[in-house]
């Protein structure tokens, strides 16, 4: 699993015109989801497929509404949802601050018994971050989209 997109080798991998330290959260979320689902792919293979969904040559990462296409391409089963309730694992995207005045960040999450483990929550955090609920992940901000993952 990849955490801290601004750390290590992954931070230097280009995604469009920019390094993944700036715009790689969607690629990393799909990569982590595939790892979790037992259908691992090389990070560059995931990035290469997702290049077609870059926004402004990668300045704004990938189109979050196309992540399902990437999951489907690599054989993952998912459903789009407005809620992460009772989801064993999910990808969620949200604004990091005020809508349209901040960046969108996308993370992969695993629900544990009474908490949620979030991968790549912060650019410089080399480990997972634990939250009590899905609402806490982005400080109470409403998710833009949630992909609930299903194991085969």
């Amino acid at each position: 699993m990849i955490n801290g997109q601004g750390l290590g080798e992954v931070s230097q991998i280009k995604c469009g015109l920019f390094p993944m330290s700036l715009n790689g959260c969607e690629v990393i979320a799909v990569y982590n989801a595939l790892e979790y689902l037992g259908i691992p792919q090389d990070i560059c293979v995931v990035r290469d497929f997702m290049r077609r969904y870059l926004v402004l040559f990668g300045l704004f990462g990938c189109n979050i509404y196309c992540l399902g296409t990437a999951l489907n391409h690599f054989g993952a089963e998912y459903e789009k949802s407005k809620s992460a309730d009772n989801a064993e694992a999910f990808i969620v995207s949200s604004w990091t601050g005020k809508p349209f005045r901040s960046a969108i960040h996308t993370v992969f999450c695993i629900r544990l018994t009474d908490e949620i483990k979030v991968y790549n929550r912060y650019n410089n955090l080399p480990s997972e971050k634990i939250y009590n609920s899905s609402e806490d992940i982005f400080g109470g901000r409403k998710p833009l989209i949630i992909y609930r993952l299903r194991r085969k």
Side-chain angles (χ1 to χ4, degrees):
M1 299 292 211
I2 295 174
N3 281 298
Q5 69 190 61
L7 305 172
E9 291 179 28
V10 73
S11 69
Q12 301 305 311
I13 297 172
K14 290 279 189 172
C15 190
L17 299 177
F18 306 94
M20 288 187 48
S21 60
L22 176 70
N23 66 358
C25 62
E26 291 88 12
V27 172
I28 291 169
V30 170
Y31 170 87
N32 284 342
L34 296 172
E35 285 284 320
Y36 171 78
L37 293 170
I39 43 178
Q41 302 291 319
D42 184 272
I43 187 72
C44 291
V45 171
V46 175
R47 181 233 20 221
D48 291 347
F49 180 80
M50 293 180 68
R51 273 189 181 145
R52 65 192 77 190
Y53 305 112
L54 291 174
V55 179
L56 288 177
F57 305 102
L59 178 61
F60 298 112
C62 294
N63 181 339
I64 60 173
Y65 300 103
C66 295
L67 300 185
T69 305
L71 291 167
N72 194 40
H73 173 78
F74 292 109
E77 292 185 13
Y78 72 93
E79 65 177 333
K80 288 183 182 178
S81 179
K82 294 190 185 261
S83 170
D85 293 347
N86 302 318
E88 180 181 322
F90 57 96
I91 293 173
V92 59
S93 299
S94 184
W95 296 103
T96 58
K98 293 185 185 256
F100 303 104
R101 293 184 182 182
S102 64
I104 291 174
H105 191 52
T106 302
V107 295
F108 169 69
C109 309
I110 298 173
R111 185 176 305 280
L112 305 173
T113 305
D114 56 353
E115 54 194 16
I116 297 173
K117 186 185 291 190
V118 179
Y119 293 85
N120 194 39
R121 178 59 187 97
Y122 295 106
N123 205 18
N124 61 354
L125 183 65
S127 62
E128 307 86 18
K129 182 106 170 106
I130 303 295
Y131 292 92
N132 292 323
S133 71
S134 58
E135 292 80 20
D136 293 342
I137 296 171
F138 289 105
R141 289 179 203 87
K142 186 176 178 182
L144 295 168
I145 192 163
I146 297 171
Y147 294 90
R148 296 167 62 104
L149 303 168
R150 293 187 298 255
R151 289 186 187 247
K152 293 182 180 181

